[in-house]
Amino acid sequence: MRRIAFHTAGESHGRALTALIEGIPAGLSLEMERDVDPELKRRQGGYGRGRRMQIESDRAELLSGVRLGETLGSPISMVVWNRDWDNWTVAMAHEPPEPGGNPKALRPHYLPRPGHADLVGAFKYDRRDVRDILERASARETAARVACAAVAKRLLAEFGVRIGSHIVSIGSVEAEVDELPEDVNSEADKNAVRCLDDDAATRMMVEIDEAKERGDTLGGIFEVVATGLPVGLGSYVSWDTKLDGRLAGAVMSIQAVKGVEVGLGFTGARRPGSNVHDPIVRAEEKFRAGGMGRASNRAGGLEGGVTTGEPVAVRGAMKPISTLMKPLPSVDLRDGSVGDAATERSDVCAVPAAGVVGEAMVALVLADAFLEKFGGDSIGEVRRNFDGYLNYLAERGFGER
Ligand code: EPS
């Protein structure tokens, strides 16, 4: 990232998660209850979540970077308290354990779960107790990403850019969606799997119930869609300026995501070019795209790593969660004996939440690319730069502002 930097800290059952975002211009209206907490709540939901989500009720507490409801241009830091911490003060204490205490109270794990960071992390960081790994590898961390991204979303919304997501598949159930609604989130958030096809949503929930009964878990695919972007964010000039690459890296960084597609993605590789590329047409109303439109959007809003002005569409494929209640074989790190992998309370399916996290990562990358092109120290300055560009597009293109 060039214009925005963000960091998260915190363990899943530690005291809190902290989130810090830098690079947001001054003068952006920002309120935790209005802008950040609803996003945290959306991430917590979804059919297939475990009991942990009944304990937590995530809210962001602002620590810095905002005064009287507006950003100052300084780093914005927030804390999301873990309510579950009260149950983990011994196992997750910062102080060394009391001599002679019950070692079980420290809730150690020695049988790494296949698919989790447990084993690789234990070797890499030279830890014997896998809890030292899993606490940070946990997807609980994404709450802090979503808090940072809510700020990025607020910035983008100021300029008419909106980001939503919906669930394309869970397990073997695929949604059939012909046309996306104008406001993807308000439709997708209507059911507990965030799926735009009601019939598929019901079948997804049945499949989640069946997986739970078997002690198994399920993955799936989410799609993030960003609308209102002007033509020209990102660049083809160097490998690391390409916006598709930046988006793919960001979405792939989400826990358990194993594949990313832009637009048609892998499907496009199996079709002839005439059935992949989007014909260019005149579209006066698309003034953010210079009055040019596309007859289809199979490119997912990006050509040459640059936004076309059509919606940006990115899909993420999430593997099934690696904590299985009917565990796979593993090896005890203490003595090399064979056993079942550790089990602990977890989710059966977190794909609906992953869609919200996908929105977050896309928002952070797009806000970064937006400020790269229109950046300024204040919202007013960004607006002047943005308006100047739209005027330029109107003058040289075929659209009407
Ligand atoms: C997670 C395991 C579960 C999930 C957790 C991610 O938590 P616990 O071990 O406390 O039951 O609920 O997700 C969250 C807490 C969250 O906020 O998303 C894991 O191992 O990754």
Side-chain angles (χ1 to χ4, degrees):
M1 295 214 175
R2 294 163 173 78
R3 296 291 306 229
I4 284 186
F6 76 98
H7 292 282
T8 72
E11 281 73 43
S12 181
H13 304 100
R15 173 159 285 193
L17 299 165
T18 35
L20 185 141
I21 180 164
E22 283 179 276
I24 299 296
L28 178 71
S29 163
L30 184 68
E31 290 174 34
M32 295 296 108
E33 280 185 19
R34 183 193 66 194
D35 304 318
V36 183
D37 293 348
E39 292 295 305
L40 292 175
K41 189 165 185 207
R42 290 180 63 236
R43 192 204 68 91
Q44 281 202 274
Y47 199 78
R49 294 284 248 160
R51 272 173 296 137
R52 174 74 185 273
M53 285 305 107
Q54 288 156 23
I55 300 173
E56 303 298 341
S57 170
D58 292 340
R59 277 169 195 284
E61 199 173 311
L62 194 59
L63 298 181
S64 71
V66 177
R67 179 168 175 262
L68 308 177
E70 290 191 359
T71 57
L72 298 172
S74 54
I76 298 166
S77 55
M78 295 162 280
V79 62
V80 178
W81 298 105
N82 286 326
R83 284 197 179 177
D84 207 14
W85 159 252
D86 291 344
N87 305 315
W88 289 80
T89 49
V90 175
M92 292 299 291
H94 295 142
E95 303 77 24
E98 299 282 343
N102 176 6
K104 279 205 175 139
L106 305 181
R107 297 162 95 155
H109 267 320
Y110 300 106
L111 282 125
R113 292 159 294 175
H116 213 280
D118 296 354
L119 179 58
V120 291
F123 277 131
K124 180 173 169 63
Y125 289 95
D126 191 11
R127 309 310 296 165
R128 304 287 143 153
D129 174 359
V130 163
R131 179 155 307 283
D132 286 354
I133 311 307
L134 68 89
E135 283 290 334
R136 179 63 184 163
S138 162
R140 173 86 185 131
E141 181 262 347
T142 60
R145 297 196 201 195
V146 168
C148 289
V151 181
K153 272 191 176 180
R154 181 74 267 291
L155 172 75
L156 290 168
E158 197 72 21
F159 298 96
V161 179
R162 292 193 195 276
I163 298 166
S165 72
H166 64 107
I167 302 310
V168 173
S169 73
I170 287 181
S172 69
V173 183
E174 305 250 356
E176 272 183 44
V177 180
D178 295 334
E179 213 177 308
L180 289 177
E182 182 126 332
D183 184 345
V184 174
N185 278 348
S186 69
E187 292 302 316
D189 286 342
K190 280 182 181 161
N191 64 54
V193 280
R194 310 200 56 257
C195 179
L196 296 172
D197 172 347
D198 283 334
D199 180 55
T202 309
R203 285 183 284 124
M204 285 172 181
M205 290 188 254
V206 170
E207 208 155 303
I208 292 169
D209 289 340
E210 288 168 356
K212 187 176 181 180
E213 252 166 60
R214 293 194 307 273
D216 216 334
T217 55
L218 286 182
I221 298 172
F222 59 83
E223 180 173 66
V224 180
V225 183
T227 55
L229 292 159
V231 59
L233 300 192
S235 178
Y236 55 84
V237 297
S238 294
W239 72 270
D240 59 347
T241 60
K242 286 173 173 275
L243 196 54
D244 41 9
R246 291 153 69 183
L247 286 165
V251 173
M252 190 70 112
S253 79
I254 299 168
Q255 291 82 341
V257 168
K258 300 300 276 185
V260 180
E261 292 184 321
V262 176
L264 272 189
F266 281 64
T267 305
R270 300 190 180 97
R271 293 188 186 178
S274 56
N275 203 9
V276 169
H277 302 295
D278 307 308
I280 297 171
V281 294
R282 290 275 297 270
E284 257 117 68
E285 76 287 0
K286 293 189 177 173
F287 64 88
R288 289 185 178 210
M292 302 285 217
R294 307 297 159 115
S296 51
N297 185 26
R298 296 181 285 219
L302 289 157
E303 284 176 342
V306 181
T307 53
T308 61
E310 296 292 326
V312 163
V314 183
R315 289 179 174 208
M318 185 189 198
K319 69 180 178 181
I321 283 169
S322 48
T323 308
L324 305 182
M325 291 307 145
K326 209 165 155 211
L328 292 171
S330 185
V331 174
D332 195 311
L333 291 178
R334 289 166 298 188
D335 57 10
S337 62
V338 172
D340 284 340
T343 53
E344 67 170 34
R345 181 187 63 189
S346 190
D347 306 325
V348 177
C349 175
V351 177
V356 179
V357 181
E359 287 174 39
M361 294 313 292
V362 167
L364 287 158
V365 171
L366 292 180
D368 186 55
F370 194 90
L371 291 178
E372 201 173 281
K373 187 144 178 66
F374 307 115
D377 297 313
S378 66
I379 289 295
E381 191 171 4
V382 177
R383 197 176 299 286
R384 286 193 292 281
N385 296 341
F386 185 55
D387 275 347
Y389 183 65
L390 293 186
N391 287 338
Y392 147 77
L393 286 177
E395 274 163 32
R396 76 150 283 181
F398 304 94
E400 296 254 345
R401 254 195 102 175

